[in-house]
């Protein structure tokens, strides 16, 4: 419409400007023009010019997006940003694509049917004996060091960039947080970004991973699985590992919810310890069958929803499946320690608003509701496009939890965060020419520090 | 212009539509109307209507952005994405803001002038003796374990999310990469996300950090600083630390470039080892003065550009300053090992295209140009909006380096990446009921593994 208008306006004004002499040119227009006084003719001309300009303007506005003229009026920075995003997306697409030029026969994934059987691997039945022999033959790789069993903390995330840009930033911070705790407590750490078993995708991925790590690291006595959305918030608290010498699994939960209510949240598989032994291999084998994606997982989901209180309708998840397993097959429970004397898992919503109160009244090392060992952001899903809670509440909570923990690490260096949402630091202790005094007092690893370290607010 | 046109068009057509009876209404218009035949009147009316519609259309087009009408035509998914991004940005702004409600007197940063002096902290002159006494009093925190000195690998990144969304993803992967190397080689790791000293921002931030860590961790014998954009690409190679028993600093570089050419890239401070001793504290004190942001750093930059070959004009950087220091103050060099027998730092451009060739001809453990210990993505700056190289080349290179290294870690578990740009895995060894055989053969930490581990292509 715009262009038609422009063209017709141009046609109307394409002749010479009307003048008093126009009548001389003859024709209908000449006769009409002759009828109009000179002022009126000029007015008409100006009208035509206005229409032409207006229609031209409309044309440009409508078409600017199509012919890219919009870029001329955007800032150069916008253009560069757009280019950067396009390039990055192009690379990421290439990176995320599944094609391997040397692997042309890769078949599309076929879901197991209900008639198939699934197993994590060949049955191993002599793991305790095999491991014992191996440890004796390899004294340079002991499973106990200075009387303490070796623990490997295992966590991880998807191999691809997060759908939500901020997700990778919080994965990074959560990993730093775990590195700090593990360095202070002499725990090794492994960050997994690989899918070892396509069928056991999503929350089930930890099962093949646990098995593989147990069998590949016989010198590790305990594997501590921890979700990527869980943060350590007590840097001082040490797991009372001696308490579990007769157990093979330590998991946070509530006996009442488990035995009386059969609640689907009676236990939390976001943070648990798993001994490297035959019993654990057997448990994994019994746990896994509800996991394979497709009909098996869907059907299992229905069974779990029918059996467990409060469980919504969705495919089987590892947590519900474990609860179901422990309740329906009685041989496991005697070796499972249902722990709630400290926050091996601490649900974030009941914790994140109380950090200031904790700083005021309590101190690090308590590990329980007064100073939770772990603050676990269940449901926030910062890596995904959509979580179960508001973005604002989740990100603010994660920032506060991170800084609350970081203050306990920075205490040794004489700093703390300016506020629980600030990345910036303030000095709490001047530099000194006698720094070792501060090391003795503030290094968490020192026994003395356990009694005297109270990170100031 | 559009709106003026709209108003004037509306004025012209605001009266009753001209009819044959208009002449009855009197006035100039009436006289002019009476002169025009009916067809002409209708034509004029249509013209007026066209102008009105056109101008109204233009107004809407121009104003649509302002009054948000554009949103009506976006999809619901776009609206949700926009909402998510807006919420996230709002949180991030709140998070990045520097205001601390409990810290109202925070002064704006004042740059040091050329007349000021800067120091990293009070002068310490008895660190070797103090440290020796402390170590004797604290045998539970030895500086040597099984004859090997304790090394702390230090790396880090800015506390705020990256300006480029993909940046945090590669920081995460680079950190996982370092965790893997350190776990295999018994090295502790610390990831710093804090600015300890506002004046020493940017690449200079490592100086106050190194000092603080040395003084806070007397049991650490060597600190290994490594940039966040450097990746380990030889998971087998062990630093020949015994070689450096008479040295206090190990840095990658070339004697010819250093002594003969005084080149500004003669050494690389992206990956170097620094002994925890008095000499190192003294070096930091001598190194720091060119660092404070503002006039000091700017003036120092000019001195460095004049002195060093090939250095562009920009503020002083820590690398140029170190080279200048070592060449102009002769007392340091005797304790600095300029290492190039292996790739303590390996410039990525000359490495990333050769991984397939390396896999074919060489094996892990060489650590040099045949299988570089470190691939360092100098200049790529994935966290920033703009780097010195193409985004495509950098991201592809980083993905390849990461996977090349990850294959060496996954080898123990029986997997490798499908291709050097693929996040997906393929199995290279079946699950077995006798997994310990594979542990003996493929665990890098086993001496045997050093001779037999050749990650297959």
């Amino acid at each position: 419409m715009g262009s038609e208008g422009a063209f017709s306006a141009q046609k109307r004004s394409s002749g010479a400007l009307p003048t008093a002499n126009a009548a001389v040119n003859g024709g209908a227009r000449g006769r009409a023009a002759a009828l109009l006084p000179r002022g009126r003719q000029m007015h008409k001309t100006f009208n035509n010019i206005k229409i032409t300009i207006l229609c031209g303007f409309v044309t440009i506005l409508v078409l600017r997006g199509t012919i890219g003229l919009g870029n001329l009026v955007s800032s150069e920075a916008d253009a560069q940003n757009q280019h950067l995003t396009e390039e990055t997306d192009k690379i990421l697409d290439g990176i995320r694509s599944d094609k391997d030029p040397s692997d042309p026969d890769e078949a599309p994934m076929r879901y197991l049917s209900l008639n198939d059987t699934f197993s994590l691997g060949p049955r191993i039945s002599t793991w305790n004996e095999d491991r014992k022999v191996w440890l004796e033959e390899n004294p340079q790789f002991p499973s106990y060091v200075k009387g303490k069993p070796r623990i490997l903390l295992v966590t991880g995330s998807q191999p691809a960039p997060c759908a939500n840009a901020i997700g990778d930033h919080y994965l990074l911070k959560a990993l730093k947080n775990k590195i700090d705790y593990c360095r202070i407590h002499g725990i090794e750490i492994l960050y997994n970004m690989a899918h070892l078993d396509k069928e056991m995708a999503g929350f089930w991925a930890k099962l093949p991973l646990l098995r593989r790590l147990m069998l590949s690291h016989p010198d590790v006595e305990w594997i501590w699985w921890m979700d990527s959305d869980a943060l350590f918030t007590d840097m001082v608290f040490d797991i009372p590992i001696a308490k579990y010498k007769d157990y093979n699994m330590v998991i946070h939960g509530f006996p009442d919810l488990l035995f009386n209510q059969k609640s689907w949240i009676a236990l939390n598989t976001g943070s648990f310890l798993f001994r490297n032994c035959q019993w654990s291999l057997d448990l994994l084998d019994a746990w896994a069958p509800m996991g394979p994606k497709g009909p098996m997982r869907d059907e299992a989901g229905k069974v779990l929803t029918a059996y467990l209180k409060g469980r919504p309708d969705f495919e089987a998840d590892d947590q519900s499946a474990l609860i179901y397993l422990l309740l329906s097959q009685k041989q496991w429970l005697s070796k499972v320690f249902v722990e709630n004397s400290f926050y091996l898992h601490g649900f974030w919503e009941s914790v994140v608003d109380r950090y200031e109160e904790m700083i005021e009244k309590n101190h690090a090392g308590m590990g329980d509701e007064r100073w939770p060992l772990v603050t676990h952001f269940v449901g926030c899903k910062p890596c995904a496009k959509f979580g179960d809670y508001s973005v604002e509440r989740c990100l603010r909570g994660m920032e506060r939890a991170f800084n609350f923990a970081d203050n306990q690490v920075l205490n040794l260096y004489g700093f703390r965060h300016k506020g629980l949402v600030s990345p910036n630091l303030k000095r709490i202790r001047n530099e000194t020419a006698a720094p070792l005094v501060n090391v003795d007092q503030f290094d968490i690893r020192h026994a003395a520090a356990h009694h005297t370290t109270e990170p100031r607010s």
Side-chain angles (χ1 to χ4, degrees), chain A:
Chain A
M1 176 186 136
S3 48
E4 281 178 37
F7 282 131
S8 49
Q10 278 168 358
K11 274 199 215 151
R12 282 198 293 272
S13 58
S14 57
L17 286 174
T19 66
N21 294 330
V24 172
N25 294 328
R29 271 179 72 201
R31 280 200 302 273
L35 288 172
L36 301 170
R38 182 192 177 89
R40 174 66 56 168
Q41 277 177 346
M42 286 184 71
H43 186 70
K44 206 175 187 316
T45 304
F46 285 141
N47 271 354
N48 288 342
I49 291 171
K50 262 196 282 189
I51 291 169
T52 307
I53 291 171
L54 202 61
C55 294
F57 184 59
V58 169
T59 308
I60 290 171
L61 274 179
V62 171
L63 293 180
R64 74 195 279 264
T66 314
I67 60 178
L69 279 181
N71 289 343
L72 294 180
V73 297
S74 305
S75 71
E76 190 187 327
D78 283 349
Q80 281 174 329
N81 278 358
Q82 191 176 342
H83 176 70
L84 181 67
T85 309
E86 282 165 3
E87 281 229 40
T88 310
D89 286 349
K90 201 169 62 180
I91 308 298
L92 294 180
D93 285 347
I95 285 168
R96 286 175 180 173
S97 71
D98 212 5
K99 298 194 188 6
D100 175 20
S102 65
D103 215 355
D105 296 325
E106 186 190 318
M109 183 173 155
R110 180 189 71 86
Y111 290 146
L112 291 178
S113 79
L114 294 174
N115 293 331
D116 293 320
T117 51
F118 174 81
S119 99
L120 291 171
R123 169 125 183 88
I124 293 173
S125 54
T126 52
W127 184 236
N128 289 343
E129 296 78 11
D130 298 344
R131 196 173 160 250
K132 187 162 175 285
V133 168
W134 188 92
L135 286 167
E136 286 162 3
E137 290 174 355
N138 291 276
Q140 72 275 32
F141 300 114
S143 58
Y144 281 75
V145 175
K146 295 183 197 165
K148 290 186 68 175
R150 284 188 47 221
I151 303 175
L152 175 69
L153 187 127
V154 180
T155 183
S157 58
Q158 60 185 49
C162 288
N164 188 353
I166 199 62
D168 281 302
H169 181 67
Y170 282 98
L171 286 172
L172 179 70
K173 293 182 88 156
L175 180 51
K176 170 203 158 50
N177 167 278
K178 293 178 178 81
I179 288 172
D180 285 334
Y181 183 90
C182 289
R183 182 182 63 254
I184 291 168
H185 293 269
I187 292 171
E188 285 169 270
I189 184 168
L190 186 141
Y191 196 85
N192 180 55
M193 289 178 93
H195 290 140
L196 301 190
D197 190 325
K198 272 185 171 166
E199 272 142 353
M200 300 292 269
F203 21 63
W204 287 94
K206 61 176 76 84
L207 267 65
L209 179 64
L210 286 171
R211 175 183 161 107
R212 184 78 334 264
L213 291 176
M214 284 167 52
L215 300 180
S216 304
H217 297 288
D219 48 334
V220 164
E221 184 63 24
W222 287 95
I223 291 183
W224 184 349
W225 167 265
M226 198 159 162
D227 281 355
S228 60
D229 57 1
L231 291 175
F232 282 105
T233 35
D234 190 333
M235 288 292 171
V236 174
F237 184 87
D238 213 23
I239 294 280
I241 201 72
K243 194 171 153 187
Y244 312 121
K245 60 178 173 54
D246 297 328
Y247 294 86
N248 295 331
M249 186 175 196
V250 185
I251 186 162
H252 189 271
F254 300 97
D256 174 65
L257 283 181
L258 179 62
F259 300 116
N260 301 339
Q261 305 196 39
K262 296 185 176 24
S263 160
W264 79 298
I265 51 169
L267 303 175
N268 191 286
T269 52
S271 172
F272 65 91
L273 285 97
F274 213 50
R275 193 188 289 274
N276 191 354
C277 62
Q278 183 64 49
W279 180 97
S280 300
L281 289 176
D282 296 341
L283 181 73
L284 288 174
D285 284 340
W287 191 0
M290 283 189 160
K293 199 149 178 67
M296 283 183 157
R297 201 187 286 190
D298 298 335
E299 283 308 302
K302 296 174 190 164
V303 170
L304 296 172
T305 300
Y307 187 87
L308 298 170
K309 176 182 171 188
R311 188 181 193 274
D313 276 320
F314 69 111
E315 55 178 15
D317 64 293
D318 63 306
Q319 180 174 297
S320 306
L322 179 69
I323 295 170
Y324 175 82
L325 180 68
L326 297 182
L327 292 175
S328 57
Q329 296 184 21
K330 300 296 181 188
Q331 71 266 36
W332 307 105
L333 275 169
S334 62
K335 290 294 190 182
V336 177
F337 196 112
V338 179
E339 176 66 90
N340 53 34
S341 70
F342 64 91
Y343 275 30
L344 180 57
H345 143 81
F347 181 56
W348 67 283
E349 272 215 303
S350 60
V351 163
V352 292
D353 295 321
R354 298 194 292 112
Y355 292 133
E356 284 85 358
E357 181 194 321
M358 292 176 199
I359 291 169
E360 196 186 339
K361 297 181 182 168
N362 304 324
H363 59 83
M366 293 174 160
D368 53 22
E369 71 281 357
R370 299 170 297 170
W371 200 285
L373 173 65
V374 172
T375 300
H376 186 189
F377 288 88
V378 185
C380 277
K381 307 179 193 171
C383 193
K385 277 286 185 199
F386 308 101
D388 306 334
Y389 300 90
S390 95
V391 173
E392 203 265 351
R393 192 146 162 62
C394 280
L395 294 191
R396 190 165 292 275
M398 289 188 289
E399 199 62 25
R400 284 166 56 80
F402 175 87
N403 289 338
F404 178 77
D406 203 30
N407 281 347
Q408 299 167 48
V409 178
L410 294 172
N411 188 36
L412 171 60
Y413 309 123
F415 289 88
R416 72 164 179 84
H417 285 261
K418 283 186 170 158
L420 287 185
V421 289
S422 173
N424 300 311
L425 306 192
K426 73 186 292 185
R427 192 178 269 287
I428 57 173
R429 228 170 28 250
N430 285 329
E431 292 287 323
T432 157
L436 291 167
V437 174
N438 291 333
V439 171
D440 289 336
Q441 189 176 1
F442 298 114
D443 187 335
I444 292 171
R445 297 176 306 159
H446 283 241
H450 285 282
H451 302 295
T452 61
T453 299
E454 294 189 27
R456 301 176 191 82
S457 58

